[in-house]
Amino acid sequence: MHPSTREITQRTPAQESLIKELRALLPVTAVLTDPEDLRPFECDGLSVYRRLPLVVVLPDTIEQVQAIMQLCHKLNIAVVARGTGTGLSGGALPLGDGVLLSLARFKRILNIDPLNAMATVQPGVRNLAISEAAAAHGMYYAPDPSSQIACTIGGNVAENSGGVHCLKYGLTVHNVLMLKIITIEGEFLTIGAETLDAPGYDVLALMSGSEGMLGIIVEVTVKLLARPERAQVVLAAFDDVVKAGEAVGSIIAAGIIPAGLEMMDRLAIQAAEDFAHAGYPRHAEAILLCELDGSNAEVSEHIMTACKLLTECGATEVRTATDEAERQLLWKGRKSAFPAVGRISPDYYCMDGTIPRRQLPHVLKQMSQWSAEYGLPVANVFHAGDGNLHPLILFDANKPGELARTEEFGRRILKLCVEAGGTITGEHGVGMEKIDQMCIQFQSAELSQFHAVKAAFDPLGLLNPGKAVPTLHRCAEFGAMHVHHGELRHPELERF
Amino acid sequence: MTESHDSLTPHNNVAKDNRAALQQQVMDAIDTRTPLNICGNNTKSFLGRASQGETLSLAEHRGIIEYDPRELVLTARTGTPLTEIEATLAEAAQMLAFEPPHFGDGATLGGTIACGLSGPRRPYAGAARDAVLGCQIINGRGEHLRFGGQVMKNVAGYDVSRLMVGAFGTLGVLLEVSLKVLPRPAASLTLIQECPQNEAIQRMSHLLSQPVPVDAACYHAGHCYLRIAGSEQAVRHAQKQLGGEPLKDSISFWHSLREHQLHFFLSDKPLYRVVVKPATPALNIAGEWLLDWGGAQRWLASDEPQALIREQVSATGGHVTLLRAGAQADVVFTPLSPAMLHLHQRLKNSFDPHRIFNPDRMYAGL
Ligand SMILES: Cc1cc2nc3c(=O)[nH]c(=O)nc-3n(C[C@H](O)[C@H](O)[C@H](O)COP(=O)(O)OP(=O)(O)OC[C@H]3O[C@@H](n4cnc5c(N)ncnc54)[C@H](O)[C@@H]3O)c2cc1C
């Protein structure tokens, strides 16, 4: 698509009447159609895919969401939900002829209930805001994606987001009790319950990670946990990435489940250090950040064991943060790794495969070989405890052909993850980005089953169409494309 | 570790892949529209509504397929006895964190997952569904499908694996399940304290916001039981903080609670599982009460009318399962709202369009 086509496309009479009806349902400031106003919604965190929506709506009541859905259902108009747009797989990418439904105005924390260890919030509440509100009771919401200052809880549920503390405390799906959703027909459903389980099928699990394909989440009840008495982080440096990987297995085999166990390779260390001045050893080939939490006594005991194991595994340096400020700083370096890498390269492409941890040496070796072949450097940030890799491929989109080469490299990495017994996405979702790789991970019958599940919620396919699960037709074409690779994917999208 | 373990169970070397035969039986049932009653070793046939149809036995489809303690993942065929899995994990000082009830000697992995059963540690370490990473099933079109996998994090496709948990086999035949497993705590201790019910409820609920390593909590016969677990140091420290008397035979206490072998469970009255928010004050329903899950799962033996019990519990936002009633009851689980029932029927239809699998076992018409 040519960059400016969208703006000059005339709206059809049907589209005009949709907009008119939306204006009748919503306050003036809640319906945006001016290209300038639509611009901020044209992409999510994966900005290589961009497209202006036909119209953006910003409701702030559940009744308004219901009315919007009823209208879209009646008129057969597709709807894409959006939180903050920090997603990294193009999940919230708008449709040129569809409605983009932003939940940004659903910002209220409705209830913090320490006695029942839960909080009820609107979907547009930021992840970190929940922990901030719970702090008064000595509690917090455990999943902590690095984007937690910005991303919404609704987006977290839709992506089943993780964070650096998932190994011990689980993903979003493990920390949500109840959802209120509006179906494509405009029906209000309560999924799950305020209790630890609910009658019927585990629809709550199905909603987690469903990428806006099954319903619009309008309220979320999450589990709160008590803040541990103490958290302490150990930094270990290695002169070899494989040794660092083995150290991870040794800690777990010793019966310790760290609160977080993260690994970074040399390029990531240097970028993060330049950015955050976290005190990382710049010349190490890899570092591990191992956080232990619990009671004071237990943390001391585990730190001793962990330091001993790390040294035995060949760490060239092992140290613990001396105070809370240093602990925060060590984590800041890790949590800002993506933007840090963004500073050393015009563009980067973040991958999200997960592998069984024992496959790490094999996968790293193969990636560095391809990196040399493509002439594209890779910085590795790795949720090492749970095997979730984030290779960041460094490239320059202004150099002709480099984006296409980067994407091809990325696709090979994802295929490698599947072959290693893992998955194409650990936490960022399939979205638009990995839709073709779904054809590698799943057989036709499985994809058909996914479509059948989708149809149970949304028979007309109006919620976020074209994302998350490929059509069988698309997979057949992908198979063909595989043969003559090098073609640009999604030629229908504007490229930057 | 793979197929052949030096397992502690006498059934060693009986690992067998029965998939082809199972798939054939499903195909035949589809052809003749014959309902199938999916079972393992029948330890949980008392749960849910009455089963009907031709038996599809998973009991021989068994064996641990893969287990690497360093990966914290175990994959087994669903006919594998829980005892075999637990013994294998114990050798590596690991465990199923959700502490599943067996309800009988031959309990299988498949039955446990299909019924979604979790024991005393559930509020603190997650439920059966939280441990499930992936599964293989046969759906009602006779297709063999894989969902999820053997890694901790995986968001490719809808989470069908967890949807299977607690679906009572109504959506498909579970063939294999991969579970996240955890290290056993190095030390554990149970503390008891005499107190009235409401005080126990307050105490257990208050502990949810405190940084204490409680991993089970119950109230039974005028006593509050708290199980603490972690490193030696952590347990010693928590003991000082919490007070109470250490219980001598704590392993057998929690085992009897989990397996419904305490005297309480021998009552002739119908037994209800009442699930409420943990801080919910004692409910005013006549009968005997035993509170597990820190007050979040309450067992009630009562002769009060079922409708009254359901009404009172629903008013608190909770739900009720009739667990044992003499004869198998018609209404077992809390009825779904019409909109939710409709969604359930569409989901059922998406997996099992001919209603072959365990029809009506959860809800009439499902
Ligand atoms: C710097 C950076 C670091 C990151 N780190 C992590 C990390 O550590 N772990 C991790 O898991 N992710 C991470 N992410 C990815 C991203 O932040 C998460 O996926 C997040 O959950 C997205 O939330 P959002 O509100 O921005 O959702 P959006 O991007 O707006 O939407 C994401 C998807 O959810 C759907 N959606 C949003 N809201 C709703 C709703 N109310 N109802 C139904 N569907 C909805 C959208 O349609 C879309 O498919 C990172 C991203 C960035 C930019």
Side-chain angles (χ1 to χ4, degrees):
Chain A
M1 187 194 270
H2 188 271
S4 54
T5 1
R6 180 55 260 160
E7 281 90 326
I8 53 172
T9 306
Q10 288 295 316
R11 286 198 284 260
T12 64
Q15 291 172 339
E16 289 294 355
S17 85
L18 165 74
I19 290 168
K20 205 170 136 220
E21 291 202 48
L22 285 170
R23 288 199 200 285
L25 294 175
L26 298 165
V28 230
T29 61
V31 183
L32 310 179
T33 55
D34 183 356
E36 278 319 297
D37 296 332
L38 299 179
R39 191 63 73 197
F41 299 91
E42 68 179 348
C43 67
D44 65 5
L46 182 65
S47 57
V48 293
Y49 302 146
R50 299 177 187 219
R51 192 159 46 196
L52 288 185
L54 174 68
V55 50
V56 172
V57 288
L58 296 141
D60 61 6
T61 67
I62 292 178
E63 293 70 28
Q64 288 172 358
V65 176
Q66 261 179 306
I68 294 166
M69 300 307 277
Q70 279 159 0
L71 177 65
C72 290
H73 185 244
K74 186 182 80 185
L75 301 179
N76 214 19
I77 302 283
V79 180
V80 177
R82 179 183 171 104
T84 314
T86 65
L88 290 175
S89 54
L93 181 78
L95 290 163
D97 54 1
V99 170
L100 185 89
L101 194 164
S102 163
L103 281 303
R105 291 186 179 170
F106 282 85
K107 278 192 174 314
R108 284 195 306 133
I109 292 181
L110 302 172
N111 184 26
I112 302 275
D113 180 356
L115 293 178
N116 290 303
M118 63 190 195
T120 298
V121 304
Q122 292 188 326
V125 168
R126 291 172 306 112
N127 172 295
L128 189 61
I130 304 176
S131 290
E132 285 168 352
H137 306 281
M139 302 184 86
Y140 74 113
Y141 172 64
D144 57 341
S146 303
S147 50
Q148 69 183 147
I149 51 168
C151 64
T152 66
I153 189 68
N156 290 175
V157 173
E159 298 287 11
N160 188 15
S161 298
V164 297
H165 290 95
C166 287
L167 178 61
K168 186 164 177 181
Y169 298 107
L171 306 157
T172 304
V173 67
H174 301 112
N175 290 278
V176 171
L177 291 168
M178 181 172 78
L179 300 174
K180 295 194 172 153
I181 70 164
I182 303 297
T183 67
I184 186 65
E185 281 119 5
E187 188 145 32
F188 179 92
L189 291 181
T190 301
I191 310 283
E194 290 182 314
T195 47
L196 288 179
D197 49 44
Y201 294 148
D202 197 337
V203 182
L204 192 60
L206 210 47
M207 286 302 299
S208 305
S210 63
E211 303 193 18
M213 306 278 291
L214 305 182
I216 306 295
I217 300 159
V218 292
E219 194 181 296
V220 185
T221 300
V222 299
K223 221 167 88 176
L224 297 177
L225 296 181
R227 275 240 169 261
E229 192 173 275
R230 178 176 164 207
Q232 175 69 285
V233 67
V234 180
L235 179 148
F238 292 85
D239 57 10
D240 179 357
V241 196
V242 173
K243 282 190 205 160
E246 275 160 9
V248 172
S250 300
I251 290 175
I252 287 168
I256 297 176
I257 300 295
L261 192 50
E262 296 283 310
M263 187 166 140
M264 292 160 80
D265 73 358
R266 190 185 176 103
L267 196 50
I269 296 167
Q270 294 186 347
E273 181 56 21
D274 289 341
F275 184 83
H277 309 291
Y280 295 162
R282 294 182 54 91
H283 298 293
E285 284 302 316
I287 60 168
L288 282 182
L289 289 176
C290 173
E291 179 152 295
L292 300 154
D293 70 5
S295 69
N296 214 341
E298 182 165 49
V299 171
S300 301
E301 197 177 324
H302 282 168
I303 290 223
M304 291 224 315
T305 314
C307 289
K308 185 164 157 280
L309 287 169
L310 290 163
T311 311
E312 282 168 13
C313 290
T316 52
E317 181 191 348
V318 178
R319 63 180 151 95
T320 51
T322 48
D323 53 22
E324 181 58 20
E326 189 180 354
R327 182 180 86 89
Q328 292 292 350
L329 193 60
L330 288 175
W331 278 119
K332 184 175 170 218
R334 164 60 188 87
K335 289 199 176 182
S336 56
F338 293 0
V341 167
R343 292 208 319 175
I344 61 168
S345 169
D347 302 281
Y348 70 88
Y349 185 31
C350 174
M351 312 305 298
D352 174 44
T354 304
I355 52 169
R357 257 183 288 100
R358 62 175 174 274
Q359 296 281 359
L360 186 64
H362 163 65
V363 170
L364 287 178
K365 207 168 121 208
Q366 181 63 74
M367 286 197 301
S368 75
Q369 196 178 321
W370 285 337
S371 167
E373 256 172 55
Y374 284 95
L376 298 167
V378 174
N380 276 296
V381 182
F382 184 32
H383 299 300
D386 33 39
N388 187 196
L389 292 165
H390 291 318
L392 305 171
I393 307 174
L394 277 48
F395 72 103
D396 182 350
N398 286 329
K399 289 197 185 142
E402 203 157 290
L403 173 60
R405 285 219 318 287
T406 302
E407 289 187 325
E408 188 186 303
F409 183 5
R411 292 197 292 272
R412 289 177 79 175
I413 295 177
L414 296 185
K415 190 153 176 265
L416 179 65
C417 290
V418 174
E419 286 160 1
T423 172
I424 57 172
T425 175
E427 58 181 14
H428 294 167
V430 173
M432 191 73 228
E433 178 202 22
K434 293 180 273 285
I435 190 119
D436 290 334
Q437 278 62 47
M438 286 290 283
C439 312
I440 299 174
Q441 187 156 335
F442 294 100
Q443 308 288 317
S444 319
E446 289 147 358
L447 295 171
S448 299
Q449 184 63 65
F450 287 146
H451 287 299
V453 167
K454 160 87 169 164
F457 287 81
D458 175 20
L460 302 178
L462 293 176
L463 283 165
N464 217 1
K467 315 270 180 69
V469 184
T471 59
L472 299 186
H473 179 72
R474 182 166 189 126
C475 286
E477 279 190 346
F478 174 65
M481 192 177 96
H482 233 43
V483 184
H484 341 264
H485 55 81
E487 280 170 46
L488 198 63
R489 294 189 311 159
H490 309 304
E492 74 279 17
L493 288 174
E494 212 173 302
R495 317 293 290 192
F496 282 76
Chain B
M1 279 192 226
T2 45
E3 299 266 319
S4 56
H5 293 262
D6 307 319
S7 166
L8 301 176
T9 55
H11 312 288
N12 219 352
N13 304 323
V14 290
K16 183 173 168 205
D17 183 350
N18 226 7
R19 191 188 94 204
L22 290 165
Q23 207 169 351
Q24 188 55 53
Q25 203 183 335
V26 171
M27 296 301 281
D28 294 345
I30 294 169
D31 284 346
T32 56
R33 299 290 191 271
T34 309
L36 292 174
N37 168 25
I38 309 168
C39 44
N41 282 324
N42 275 319
T43 56
K44 294 167 190 74
S45 47
F46 71 96
L47 289 170
R49 303 177 79 248
S51 31
Q52 44 176 300
E54 199 177 278
T55 299
L56 181 78
S57 173
L58 275 287
E60 287 181 8
H61 180 68
R62 59 188 280 185
I64 294 172
I65 295 169
E66 204 174 328
Y67 171 47
D68 179 350
R70 290 183 162 231
E71 299 283 343
L72 299 175
V73 178
L74 177 140
T75 301
R77 296 191 187 95
T78 45
T80 314
L82 270 186
T83 46
E84 182 179 332
I85 292 173
E86 288 172 336
T88 304
L89 291 169
E91 284 171 28
Q94 295 189 338
M95 63 177 185
L96 296 175
F98 60 100
E99 217 179 351
H102 291 219
F103 293 149
D105 280 342
T108 62
L109 173 62
T112 303
I113 296 303
C115 298
L117 298 176
S118 309
R121 198 182 286 102
R122 189 269 171 259
Y124 313 95
R129 58 90 86 164
D130 294 309
V132 168
L133 299 174
C135 69
Q136 297 195 14
I137 65 165
I138 303 171
N139 69 5
R141 288 176 211 87
E143 296 162 333
H144 170 217
L145 310 175
R146 293 156 211 263
F147 298 102
Q150 293 174 291
V151 287
M152 299 288 159
K153 289 166 87 174
N154 186 353
V155 293
Y158 302 119
D159 195 346
V160 172
S161 313
R162 289 196 175 90
L163 182 65
M164 293 296 141
V165 186
F168 283 82
T170 58
L171 297 177
V173 182
L174 283 163
L175 289 174
E176 279 177 26
V177 175
S178 295
L179 296 169
K180 177 178 179 177
V181 300
L182 282 180
R184 281 167 171 253
S188 177
L189 181 74
T190 298
L191 298 165
I192 22 178
Q193 216 168 48
E194 202 176 331
C195 67
Q197 186 175 171
N198 270 330
E199 207 177 301
I201 292 172
Q202 281 171 16
R203 183 151 192 254
M204 295 187 292
S205 134
H206 173 70
L207 287 174
L208 291 173
S209 62
Q210 302 304 306
V212 281
V214 171
D215 86 336
C218 85
Y219 172 80
H220 172 44
H223 291 83
C224 180
Y225 295 68
L226 297 178
R227 187 173 72 189
I228 48 182
S231 71
E232 296 279 355
Q233 297 277 358
V235 168
R236 210 168 306 145
H237 179 67
Q239 182 182 3
K240 268 188 238 142
Q241 257 179 307
L242 293 171
E245 280 300 306
L247 176 70
K248 279 204 192 65
D249 200 0
S250 68
I251 294 182
S252 105
F253 171 76
W254 294 105
H255 182 268
S256 313
L257 168 61
R258 187 188 84 189
E259 298 301 334
H260 289 189
Q261 287 164 359
L262 290 173
H263 186 73
F264 171 91
F265 293 100
L266 301 179
S267 162
D268 288 336
K269 297 174 185 165
L271 178 69
Y272 295 90
R273 173 177 183 260
V274 174
V275 180
V276 290
K277 290 185 274 185
T280 308
L283 292 169
N284 191 16
I285 304 172
E288 291 83 57
W289 288 89
L290 188 158
L291 280 50
D292 194 4
W293 291 9
Q297 170 178 263
R298 304 181 183 184
W299 300 106
L300 167 67
S302 173
D303 281 325
E304 291 293 307
Q306 200 188 134
L308 178 134
I309 297 174
R310 292 196 182 277
E311 194 185 297
Q312 289 229 16
V313 175
S314 293
T316 73
H319 67 95
V320 177
T321 304
L322 175 51
L323 214 76
R324 295 183 202 262
Q328 213 129 9
D330 186 44
V331 177
V332 173
F333 303 101
T334 291
L336 301 169
S337 70
M340 275 304 266
L341 182 62
H342 190 208
L343 177 62
H344 276 61
Q345 279 162 337
R346 284 180 294 184
L347 278 170
K348 164 79 171 170
N349 188 49
S350 79
F351 282 90
D352 181 19
H354 311 297
R355 289 190 73 229
I356 300 292
F357 301 134
N358 289 0
D360 307 322
R361 181 80 192 264
M362 280 181 95
Y363 292 98
L366 201 64

